[in-house]
Amino acid sequence: MPTKLSARFCSFVLSLFLIAFALPAFAGPFEDAVAKFANDDYSDTDEAIGAVASSGNKLAFPIISALQDGRLMADPDTKKVYVTGTDGKSIDAATGEPVASVPDSASAVRLNNRLRRSVDAALGSLTLQSPDLGARLQAAQSVFKSHEETALEAVESALAKESNKSAKTALGEARAAILLFKSDATEVQKLEAVATIKARGDQDALALLSDIGTDQPASVAKAATSAIGSIQNTLAVWSTVQNAWYGLSLGSVLLLAAIGLAITFGVMGVINMAHGEMVMLGAYTTFVVQEVIRTRYPTLFDYSLLIAVPLAFLVAGAIGVLIERSIIRFLYGRPLETLLATWGLSLVLQQAVRTMFGPTNREVGNPSWMSGAFELGQITITYNRLWILCFTLAVFVILLAMLRYTALGLEMRAVTQNRRMAASMGIATSRVDALTFGLGSGIAGIAGVALSQIDNVSPNLGQSYIIDSFMVVVFGGVGNLWGTLVGAFTLGIANKFLEPVAGAVLGKIAILVLIILFIQKRPRGLFALKGRAVEA
């Protein structure tokens, strides 16, 4: 009996001895993969990235993120690897235990372009099952672009669990990209992958199909060539749509800047070179409103533009009435003197703003509902441009209704068509002139509110739009709001279609030449006003 107990005891001690010496050899695949980062060999680093990413260890994401950011440190002497956090603290990459400091002999793990693609794919695969939909979509996009084979298992696992339709589509595209470049994928799988990527139909899909190389089966190469042609045709159509949207966006800006000038120039015949400064005053009113809100009522910032619109109208409109009463009314019938007077006035207003606010650009922020963009098909639409387009059309409709259904609008139309007849009917033309000039200036002021969201707010803001405003008014028909609308959008769209061909400067010159040729044939523009005084 003692002999048996002694034998068992010896066996137990021997087992403990063997386990103790065997532990280092069974440190685990994760620890072995991490240690490869210390070899300073690109091949070993690539293997380590794939092994760490597929390990399922909670330290995988911090390690790969640190590698991407240059914060993964490796000591070639001890073969230890450390993750340095953004807060300066460090941990042992293999165990996650904090360390007091990283040894001086440690250096950042090196990357090349091939490894950077592997890192992107690894990070993508690590976030494919994130609870955040945006993170999953971004991860799928990263895998699609890198098409690393090591991410296939993670993609298929995430695809099987995904319930969101858009994320499922993105994961399917990522899987197709991997299979297309996978050497041992079947021909059927590759053909299905080409079809999936073709259905995506964007620039990334085009780049991916163009990069498949010549080692593909003939049927796959033929399908890829056909898909490339189809995508190029689709992108050409979407490019036209994108240019049309840019043209509408530019046209809305031109309309907003020109609509006030159409009123003053059309009704009063005044060439107001200070019109751009009314736009500038509206932009600075927005700046002042936002400064007050930032310092006193920060919770109201999202409503700053809604507060600034009526204030800008009142400020610019009041200054417009003051200008008409003090300067313009003495110069009716003398266009050259009016032009020189308003040009000088524009310089005075610019200098006054420089004195009050300084010559540098002022910051005007975008409310949250005007920030960001969204995709519509293959085009990108920014919220600020979309809101400006809607705002411009709303101003246009309100102005049309005011001219048609109010007493002031009736008087303005009467004065526009025949000033002498309107005066003989008891209309106070001088009062109509002052209110008309104030209305046109006020609309220029609210144009400044909108333009502050897409342009620099500076004393020279208005100078960027005054010439274009006159071009729109003359092209559309002096005094005709519908002509101003059509003229603004026509010039905006034409400008955006000419820019890719001739360049920005030559495109604008071409537009100017076309307008000069057009007014030779139709001096009164697209939509000429009618009336005995006008015809005379």
Side-chain angles (χ1 to χ4, degrees), residues 132 143 174 237 255 257 287-288 344 368 371 377 396 429 506:
D132 179 49
V143 174
V237 173
L255 176 60
F287 165 72
V288 172
S368 60
S371 302
F396 182 81
T429 56
L506 288 178

Side-chain angles (χ1 to χ4, degrees), residues 15-367:
S15 299
L16 290 177
F17 179 80
L18 291 173
I19 290 172
F21 277 89
L23 277 176
F26 294 99
F30 178 76
E31 290 79 4
D32 291 341
V34 171
K36 288 185 178 181
F37 285 118
N39 293 341
D40 196 25
D41 181 87
Y42 287 141
S43 297
D44 285 347
T45 301
D46 195 17
E47 291 178 10
I49 292 170
V52 169
S54 60
S55 67
N57 193 294
K58 64 180 181 179
L59 293 172
F61 187 81
I63 290 172
I64 304 299
S65 297
L67 178 61
Q68 184 183 52
D69 299 338
R71 295 182 288 104
L72 189 68
M73 313 297 290
D75 187 350
D77 298 332
T78 62
K79 300 300 181 182
K80 288 282 190 178
V81 182
Y82 306 92
V83 174
T84 301
T86 54
D87 56 358
K89 297 179 181 179
S90 300
I91 62 170
D92 187 314
T95 64
E97 295 295 325
V99 295
S101 62
V102 176
D104 294 336
S105 57
S107 59
V109 179
R110 297 183 303 148
L111 293 177
N112 57 17
N113 289 336
R114 173 72 179 81
L115 291 177
R116 289 188 182 92
R117 288 194 294 270
S118 298
V119 168
D120 290 340
L123 286 175
S125 64
L126 287 170
T127 52
L128 285 172
Q129 299 188 38
S130 168
D132 179 49
L133 175 60
R136 298 202 303 275
L137 290 172
Q138 187 175 2
Q141 179 69 8
S142 298
V143 174
F144 178 85
K145 290 181 179 179
S146 63
H147 51 79
E148 289 292 331
E149 291 185 20
T150 54
L152 180 60
E153 183 178 349
V155 169
E156 290 180 334
S157 175
L159 187 59
K161 300 175 183 178
E162 187 58 64
S163 58
N164 181 271
K165 184 178 179 181
S166 58
K168 205 173 186 69
T169 300
L171 288 168
E173 292 167 352
R175 179 179 179 274
I178 295 172
L179 290 175
L180 183 62
F181 287 85
K182 198 169 187 294
S183 57
D184 58 348
T186 66
E187 187 172 334
V188 173
Q189 286 178 321
K190 292 194 173 191
L191 288 172
E192 291 175 350
V194 170
T196 301
I197 296 170
K198 176 184 176 182
R200 176 178 172 127
D202 61 0
Q203 287 287 355
D204 291 332
L206 181 63
L208 201 69
L209 289 172
S210 301
D211 197 37
I212 61 172
T214 58
D215 57 341
Q216 299 288 347
S219 60
V220 175
K222 182 179 179 181
T225 302
S226 174
I228 288 172
S230 176
I231 293 175
Q232 286 174 336
N233 293 334
T234 302
L235 290 178
V237 173
W238 280 112
S239 177
T240 301
V241 175
Q242 183 76 77
N243 282 335
W245 163 249
Y246 287 151
L248 288 175
S249 177
L250 176 60
S252 67
V253 172
L254 294 177
L255 176 60
L256 203 55
I259 195 169
L261 187 64
I263 296 172
T264 55
F265 193 24
V267 174
M268 306 169 67
V270 173
I271 304 175
N272 180 19
M273 297 300 293
H275 180 77
E277 279 54 55
M278 300 298 107
V279 175
M280 178 260 294
L281 290 174
Y284 272 97
T285 301
T286 309
F287 165 72
V288 172
V289 168
Q290 288 197 352
E291 282 298 295
V292 172
I293 289 177
R294 281 193 183 102
T295 55
R296 298 185 183 181
Y297 314 102
T299 57
L300 296 178
F301 186 80
D302 276 349
Y303 304 97
S304 59
L305 295 188
L306 301 179
I307 298 170
V309 166
L311 290 177
F313 180 84
L314 292 174
V315 169
I319 293 176
V321 171
L322 180 63
I323 291 171
E324 197 281 334
R325 289 288 86 188
S326 60
I327 298 175
I328 303 298
R329 73 188 183 104
F330 300 108
L331 300 174
Y332 288 132
R334 298 156 63 185
L336 181 59
E337 287 88 339
T338 305
L339 187 150
L340 292 174
T342 53
W343 177 67
L345 180 62
S346 72
L347 299 179
V348 172
L349 290 173
Q350 288 181 44
Q351 190 57 47
V353 168
R354 284 192 182 92
T355 303
M356 294 176 64
F357 297 99
T360 57
N361 295 341
R362 290 294 182 171
E363 179 186 359
V364 174
N366 293 90

Side-chain angles (χ1 to χ4, degrees), residues 467-487:
I467 302 300
D468 288 335
S469 297
F470 275 108
M471 287 170 56
V472 168
V473 171
V474 171
F475 176 66
V478 176
N480 190 302
L481 291 183
W482 283 107
T484 304
L485 175 74
V486 174

Side-chain angles (χ1 to χ4, degrees), residues 396-413:
F396 182 81
V397 170
I398 292 171
L399 188 58
L400 278 180
M402 190 276 294
L403 291 175
R404 185 174 181 85
Y405 299 111
T406 66
L408 176 60
L410 179 62
E411 292 175 350
M412 286 174 59
R413 286 186 288 135

